Amino acid sequence: NLPEFKDAQAINDFVKAKVRDSYQHVKLAPMVHSWAELKMFHEWQQQAPDFRSFLPRSTEGIWSWYRLYQKEKQNLNFFRIDQGSAPDQPSLYDWLATPKKPSQFAAVLGKPVFHSQTPIEQESFFSQRDCPVFKIEIEDKDFNEAFEFLSDLGLIAAAVTAPLKISAHKFTQESPNQESFEASELGSVNTLVKSKDTWRGHNTDLFGFDHLIRQIPGFEMDPSQSGRLMVVWGGGGTLSVIQKVCPQSLLFSGRSGELRKKEEAMKQRDKFLGLALEGPEILIWAAGSDALIPPSDWKPEFV
């Protein structure tokens, strides 16, 4: 167990009191609870990388990506073949898929992200550029601090998922002409790419959702004109996308279970009555695992 440190110098003072030989290799594997702590320990390790190894730990393994990015940049590191001794130890596959001493990386950013297929889908493209693709968990409140650190570290491209799409939009809005038309119109960014010294934002959700929804019978030609009763459960940063493709849908909060814009929805009396009597024909699940479950008497044909 390590004490709390205010900066890298405080870590140096602590280590000097414990290790007499300045040329002895020092490994620190503390529990890291914030992005500020991660940055502080990283700065400490970078001051003498030949003599220092930093292996961050967490209860959920959220720093595994950092250990991978430090591959062969410090003398000590670990991967796991089975359960390992710490959740942050990367798997053997992830270790082998990461190039030696990577100088840049791509990522999928959000929470949760450990289920994401982005690293597998994008691995072939980025491996040709000696660029690994990591899963990096970030809470919305930490977006600006975390993204600044990741940019300094070598992030060059990112897929952005919930709950960060609106924060990513606000970030790219700070620089003029750095958002695509789609991202600006939707007020949501799901793709970030570094161009020289600036970040550009785009949104591919509209195309993806439109393609998906047209596979449902009755939506093939014009999803916005379908008469089938659709409910959106949740939404967050994707609501603008869903409403643009299917403006006739009824919107429900995944946290409260309440109908959004109730007064406006009540004007569509036939639709609202149909929902009360039979439930929706189509349910768009756009919420996280902690969302409320829709009414048990709803029996949608498509989810």
Side-chain angles (χ1 to χ4, degrees):
N1 293 328
L2 296 176
E4 292 187 9
F5 302 108
K6 64 178 182 179
D7 53 30
Q9 183 57 48
I11 303 174
N12 278 329
D13 294 340
F14 172 82
V15 172
K16 286 179 180 179
K18 302 289 183 181
V19 181
R20 293 183 179 180
D21 184 356
S22 60
Y23 291 100
Q24 181 176 341
H25 195 87
V26 177
K27 180 195 80 171
L28 294 182
M31 294 293 290
V32 175
H33 304 97
S34 68
W35 285 91
E37 283 187 349
L38 184 72
K39 181 180 179 180
M40 177 182 65
F41 280 104
H42 174 75
E43 290 174 350
W44 169 82
Q45 189 274 336
Q46 288 290 289
Q47 289 175 358
D50 291 336
F51 301 98
R52 298 174 181 177
S53 295
F54 165 48
L55 304 170
R57 292 184 297 129
S58 66
T59 57
E60 298 178 348
I62 61 174
W63 307 125
S64 178
W65 67 269
Y66 177 86
R67 293 192 181 209
L68 287 169
Y69 192 58
Q70 288 292 78
K71 181 177 179 179
E72 300 204 11
K73 297 178 184 177
Q74 56 185 20
N75 290 344
L76 296 177
N77 224 320
F78 300 87
F79 59 80
R80 58 183 169 83
I81 296 177
D82 198 344
Q83 294 300 311
S85 59
D88 299 276
Q89 290 175 344
S91 68
L92 176 59
Y93 173 83
D94 288 335
W95 184 261
L96 295 176
T98 302
K100 298 178 181 179
K101 297 183 178 180
S103 59
Q104 58 186 19
F105 62 100
V108 53
L109 312 176
K111 184 179 181 180
V113 291
F114 294 125
H115 66 288
S116 174
Q117 298 298 309
T118 293
I120 296 296
E121 293 286 344
Q122 301 293 337
E123 181 181 1
S124 176
F125 174 84
F126 282 105
S127 65
Q128 298 174 28
R129 295 154 178 80
D130 289 327
C131 185
V133 186
F134 300 138
K135 301 175 183 180
I136 303 179
E137 183 174 289
I138 304 175
E139 294 189 36
D140 193 37
K141 64 181 178 62
D142 298 324
F143 176 79
N144 290 334
E145 181 181 20
F147 196 78
E148 180 181 1
F149 176 63
L150 293 173
S151 298
D152 293 340
L153 210 57
L155 181 68
I156 61 168
V160 183
T161 187
L164 305 178
K165 294 182 181 184
I166 295 176
S167 292
H169 159 65
K170 292 178 180 177
F171 170 75
T172 52
Q173 261 194 327
E174 293 176 1
S175 300
N177 304 317
Q178 295 305 307
E179 271 193 351
S180 67
F181 172 78
E182 292 84 354
S184 297
E185 185 180 30
L186 297 169
S188 173
V189 163
N190 78 340
T191 304
L192 287 166
V193 178
K194 196 168 190 178
S195 177
K196 296 182 180 180
D197 294 327
T198 60
W199 284 92
R200 291 190 57 79
H202 182 48
N203 192 304
T204 61
D205 285 334
L206 185 63
F207 173 82
F209 182 71
D210 183 77
H211 176 75
L212 174 68
I213 207 71
R214 287 176 187 269
Q215 299 177 44
I216 297 176
F219 286 78
E220 300 93 332
M221 299 302 294
D222 186 353
S224 67
Q225 297 301 315
S226 173
R228 307 195 68 180
L229 183 54
M230 174 190 290
V231 159
V232 179
W233 196 263
T238 63
L239 272 180
S240 57
V241 172
I242 297 172
Q243 285 189 283
K244 189 169 182 63
V245 178
C246 298
Q248 76 279 22
S249 57
L250 292 175
L251 312 178
F252 280 78
S253 168
R255 293 186 177 183
S256 67
E258 296 292 327
L259 181 68
R260 302 179 193 266
K261 302 179 181 179
K262 191 169 184 177
E263 291 184 5
E264 181 180 332
M266 287 290 286
K267 295 176 183 178
Q268 307 175 61
R269 298 179 66 88
D270 292 342
K271 184 186 300 183
F272 197 72
L273 181 61
L275 178 66
L277 294 175
E278 300 179 1
E281 297 176 79
I282 298 157
L283 174 66
I284 302 297
W285 181 272
S289 58
D290 58 345
L292 292 175
I293 300 300
S296 59
D297 57 348
W298 284 7
K299 295 178 174 54
E301 187 178 348
F302 293 95
V303 178

